[in-house]
Amino acid sequence: MSTNWLDEIKWTEDGLVPVIAQEAGTGQVLMLAWMNRESLALSVQEGKAIYWSRSRGKLWRKGEESGHEQIIHDIRLDCDNDVVLLEVEQKGGIACHTGRHRCFFKQLQDDQWVEVEPVIKDPDAIYK
Amino acid sequence: MSTNWLDEIKWTEDGLVPVIAQEAGTGQVLMLAWMNRESLALSVQEGKAIYWSRSRGKLWRKGEESGHEQIIHDIRLDCDNDVVLLEVEQKGGIACHTGRHRCFFKQLQDDQWVEVEPVIKDPDAIYK
């Protein structure tokens, strides 16, 4: 398998690229995370989102604990070759570790961030 | 005007936050750019996307040259307080400096990035 397509990406100094996950069908933006070269190559190989956890410093197979995997339908790169956009099927309908559908649940309302999307499942029940 | 909401954002070491612009109506992800504290405050104040250009090291009023402004409909923050999502109306229907509707026009097909979205307007005609 050719890996030239990986060389075309402009990785950060830390060897990462920001990755936006958008839900197929609804078009909702679920989350933004980061990938390194290995995790992006694995994501393509397995057809599932595998991020690089900056806080833990290791591969993060999305859904490995929760079962909330992201099945990849489409992979895009932007004009500057430094942002990746995934179209995914979100297993379990929950992308966020807080148990919400997606991570962007805080809305700016009159100078305040207000939580406007419900918790679907208690995180304690997700991560046992 | 309270600016506490700005303090809640986890800025990078460079004082930036990644900002995803999503088109109202179509739900298409148009681009990802960066904002600093000043540019985000101004964006809210003016109701238009004003980014921070990392390459030029200055405020980047989206559409200042092209007229392709982004009118802000909604502002979201993610669970980790380190990514912003804007819902915008894209003036002129062109978000990308290449003259395309959006920046994510390269699709991964069999280990190759293939341009799958058309140029709507010649950049030479946009940036005179």
Side-chain angles (χ1 to χ4, degrees), chain B residues 44-70:
Chain B
V44 169
Q45 200 176 304
E46 302 187 12
K48 297 175 188 174
I50 299 169
Y51 300 103
W52 177 257
S53 169
R54 295 180 302 168
S55 58
R56 288 177 289 166
K58 62 171 197 169
L59 288 178
W60 165 30
R61 292 175 179 272
K62 175 73 182 156
E64 61 192 343
E65 289 179 65
S66 62
H68 298 156
E69 297 181 324
Q70 294 177 336

Side-chain angles (χ1 to χ4, degrees), chain A residues 50-96:
Chain A
I50 299 169
Y51 300 104
W52 177 258
S53 170
R54 294 179 303 168
S55 57
R56 288 177 289 169
K58 62 173 198 170
L59 288 178
W60 165 30
R61 292 174 180 273
K62 175 73 182 155
E64 62 191 341
E65 290 179 65
S66 62
H68 298 157
E69 296 181 325
Q70 294 178 336
I71 310 302
I72 299 174
H73 288 199
D74 188 49
I75 302 180
R76 298 290 184 106
L77 184 64
D78 79 336
C79 51
D80 292 330
N81 296 337
D82 62 2
V83 184
V84 169
L85 173 65
L86 300 182
E87 188 182 278
V88 302
E89 177 192 343
Q90 179 60 59
K91 291 290 182 186
I94 296 176
C96 186

Side-chain angles (χ1 to χ4, degrees), chain A residues 105-109 112-116, chain B residues 74-76:
Chain A
F105 57 84
K106 299 179 209 177
Q107 185 179 49
L108 190 63
Q109 296 181 9
Q112 285 197 35
W113 296 109
V114 179
E115 297 183 359
V116 294
Chain B
D74 187 50
I75 303 180
R76 298 291 184 106

